[in-house]
Amino acid sequence: MALASTFGVTLAGVAGQLVEIEADVSAGIPGLSFTGLPDKSVLESRDRMRAALVNSGVAWPNHKVTVALLPADVHKIGSRFDLAMAMALLAAAGEVAPAPLARTAWLAELGLNGRLRAIRGVLPSVLAAKRGGITRVIVARGNAREAALVDGVEVRAARDLTELIAWLRGEGEPPPLAAAEPDPDDPDPGGGDLADVAGQTEAKRALEVAAAGSHHLYFVGAPGAGKTMLAERLPGLLPALDRDAALEVTAVHSVAGRLLEQARLVRRPPLQAPHHTATVAALVGGGSHLARPGAISLAHNGVLFLDEAPEFSPRALDALRQPLESGVVVLHRGGGAVTYPARFLLVLAANPCPCGSRAHECDCAPQARRRYQQRLSGPLLDRIDVRVQVDPVAHAELFADVGTRESSAQVAVRVATARAAAAERWRGMPWRSNSVIPGSVLRAAPWALPHQVLRATEGYLQRGQLSARGFDRVLRLSWTVADLAGHLAPTAGDLAEALYYRTGWAESWAA
């Protein structure tokens, strides 16, 4: 009779915590008991482990077995502990040597035949194991590529318990090392090319400004004008994610179960475009016990596109307001609170009226048009920096030579240059893009703009046509426009362009 221990990982959102799993086999009435706040799926592992061990040629110990999951005050959820508990039990029963279990984490669900089955959230689990000092992780083959995305940890992928038992007894080879898919040097942005969009010079400029400063965007225009095409091409204007950002995004997709065997780092900014019937839970995340990520977290470091925005539930739209400000979403459920990252670039698109007809065909009353537009609440619209009217494409523009239109790659170069200028300006500060700079910073030295530059914008503020938040957002926009123009600080023309995007009323850019 003996005591043995090994390690698993529990997840709360994308935050992993190392769990030490102890198994004790002692004299007493035969049975298996758990301690450490296991949920129902952990308790059900009793039958999965018994069948898996017996079908792998190992006798179930006819003794009292106690399994402790430590720390005991943290909830343990899911079947992700099956393999770790089985290995601790085997070592405690003397079936395998306990030494190889030290500093090893086991992450897999067990089938009744002993096969290792893939689980969600392996990437953040391996990251947590690494932080906890674990040097080796054993996973199911279906999770091999995903687990191997983490550097500095030996990842081995096994087929079943029989393979692992033979290895630990010295009767077989160790499971093969897992290898990650190679990262492409120039990943395909997907979503089509901006050169596909005919005309829409003003909307394309707005798209460029939004991409350069991570500013939220609102397109209003008749059906068929190109709003959706423009929005879908926005991710192609954004720079590829660096490794830290890619790991963060990939971890969210891992928890959502979107990686598995074809796992590779998400290097391109993701695009999420939920249908307008999406619920609050579908947008921000939800589920019983511990919530899963929603569309806003799957769009982290990328683009969330809401087409036909007024058709979304007002509750769903207003649920976006807090994440738009904080960049995270905190979801409270019965099993506790989970935090998911949610710093996304929001793009809204809408028709000007509920009938969706072209202007010369629309017979909606002014009140109906006003009610339709007011389905987007004032507090939500106040968080949108760039608002653009998208008019129907003219005949001449539609049939113009495609070769004369700028491609996504050409615009992306300017966007990257502007972002680099902003990153250099804010170096040493906790911000990287203009859209998140606090207004108090932009209104104070050394970034405060002279009065002659701010004159027109201050007039809008004094007349109540701009809120205090709107004023700060115009300032942020002006710095992005200046970065695209190569200016060291916003000029009156840069501020006028920013004010036009915010209010729709342009001052003379030549002033």
Side-chain angles (χ1 to χ4, degrees):
M1 309 306 164
L3 173 69
S5 67
T6 189
F7 296 92
V9 176
T10 188
L11 283 180
V14 292
Q17 180 175 349
L18 200 62
V19 173
E20 184 175 6
I21 297 173
E22 295 182 335
D24 177 75
V25 178
S26 59
I29 299 175
L32 174 60
S33 60
F34 296 92
T35 67
L37 294 182
D39 77 338
K40 184 176 180 181
S41 58
V42 177
L43 297 176
E44 289 174 344
S45 66
R46 175 189 295 110
D47 297 321
R48 291 195 297 272
M49 284 195 294
R50 184 190 300 272
L53 291 177
V54 171
N55 289 325
S56 300
V58 178
W60 183 261
N62 193 29
H63 299 282
K64 179 182 178 181
V65 179
T66 304
V67 174
L69 297 94
L70 309 171
D73 59 347
V74 175
H75 281 279
K76 319 302 186 306
I77 300 170
S79 57
R80 57 177 37 249
F81 302 103
D82 286 5
L83 180 60
M85 291 190 295
M87 301 315 297
L89 190 154
L90 285 169
E95 295 290 346
V96 299
L101 275 60
R103 315 317 304 167
T104 300
W106 310 78
L107 304 171
E109 177 183 285
L110 286 177
L112 299 184
N113 59 355
R115 182 173 291 276
L116 272 58
R117 302 175 65 88
I119 60 173
R120 297 186 183 198
V122 160
L123 177 61
S125 298
V126 177
L127 287 169
K130 179 183 177 181
R131 288 193 299 269
I134 295 298
T135 57
R136 180 169 59 196
V137 175
I138 310 298
V139 299
R141 290 188 175 181
N143 286 134
R145 293 179 181 175
E146 181 181 342
L149 294 173
V150 181
D151 297 327
V153 179
E154 176 189 333
V155 177
R156 294 189 177 272
R159 181 181 64 255
D160 52 35
L161 265 182
T162 303
E163 181 181 358
L164 291 173
I165 293 170
W167 166 47
L168 295 174
R169 288 175 174 174
E171 300 169 357
E173 295 295 321
L177 286 168
E181 282 288 308
D183 258 353
D185 294 330
D186 184 21
D188 179 14
D193 197 296
L194 197 60
D196 300 334
V197 183
Q200 304 300 357
T201 303
E202 182 179 317
K204 289 179 180 179
R205 170 64 176 177
L207 206 66
E208 181 179 343
V209 171
S214 294
H215 300 286
H216 305 307
L217 182 62
Y218 182 25
F219 286 136
V220 180
K227 303 185 297 294
T228 301
M229 288 185 69
L230 287 162
E232 289 175 344
R233 280 147 182 80
L234 181 53
L237 307 184
L238 302 174
L241 305 178
D242 61 31
R243 183 166 180 82
D244 288 343
L247 281 172
E248 192 175 33
V249 172
T250 308
V252 176
H253 286 245
S254 173
V255 171
R258 297 197 172 200
L259 296 182
L260 297 178
E261 292 197 22
Q262 300 303 317
R264 65 194 324 164
L265 280 179
V266 180
R267 285 290 192 180
R268 295 303 315 181
L271 170 67
Q272 290 290 310
H275 191 261
H276 63 257
T277 56
T279 62
V280 174
L283 282 179
V284 304
S288 60
H289 209 70
L290 281 179
R292 289 183 178 174
I296 65 173
S297 294
L298 293 171
H300 179 59
N301 284 335
V303 177
L304 177 69
F305 174 43
L306 303 185
D307 201 3
E308 306 293 347
E311 300 293 344
F312 280 77
S313 157
R315 287 185 63 247
L317 290 172
D318 286 338
L320 302 177
R321 286 155 50 181
Q322 181 268 334
L324 284 173
E325 293 293 324
S326 65
V328 298
V329 58
V330 182
L331 304 170
H332 293 265
R333 295 295 184 273
V338 295
T339 301
Y340 289 110
R343 190 165 297 285
F344 53 90
L345 202 167
L346 176 64
V347 181
L348 304 177
N351 297 322
C353 65
C355 75
S357 303
R358 296 183 181 276
H360 65 279
E361 300 171 344
C362 176
D363 58 359
C364 294
Q367 288 182 336
R369 295 169 65 92
R370 189 160 49 250
R371 281 196 303 268
Y372 184 73
Q373 293 165 4
Q374 288 174 347
R375 296 191 65 177
L376 301 179
S377 69
L380 176 63
L381 286 179
D382 204 36
R383 290 166 168 82
I384 307 299
D385 298 344
V386 183
R387 309 169 190 180
V388 178
Q389 176 77 33
V390 183
D391 296 319
V393 180
H395 178 274
E397 293 173 327
L398 186 63
F399 288 93
D401 182 10
V402 175
T404 62
R405 303 173 191 164
E406 279 195 308
S407 67
S408 292
Q410 291 173 299
V411 178
V413 170
R414 293 199 297 270
V415 168
T417 302
R419 282 178 167 248
E424 178 63 24
R425 179 171 56 251
W426 310 120
R427 186 170 59 176
M429 302 182 186
W431 315 293
R432 291 180 60 86
S433 64
N434 295 326
S435 64
V436 296
I437 307 299
S440 57
V441 173
L442 296 178
R443 286 183 265 108
W447 312 111
L449 301 179
H451 175 68
Q452 59 268 29
V453 174
L454 286 173
R455 186 183 297 115
T457 308
E458 288 176 339
Y460 277 85
L461 183 63
Q462 291 168 358
R463 293 191 297 272
Q465 293 172 284
L466 273 180
S467 66
R469 176 163 47 207
F471 179 81
D472 288 342
R473 289 187 176 275
V474 170
L475 291 182
R476 295 168 185 162
L477 263 175
S478 69
W479 280 97
T480 299
V481 174
D483 288 336
L484 285 168
H487 299 155
L488 294 179
T491 64
D494 297 331
L495 204 63
E497 182 177 355
L499 189 61
Y500 173 77
Y501 290 137
R502 180 72 188 183
T503 66
W505 298 96
E507 301 292 336
S508 173
W509 288 12

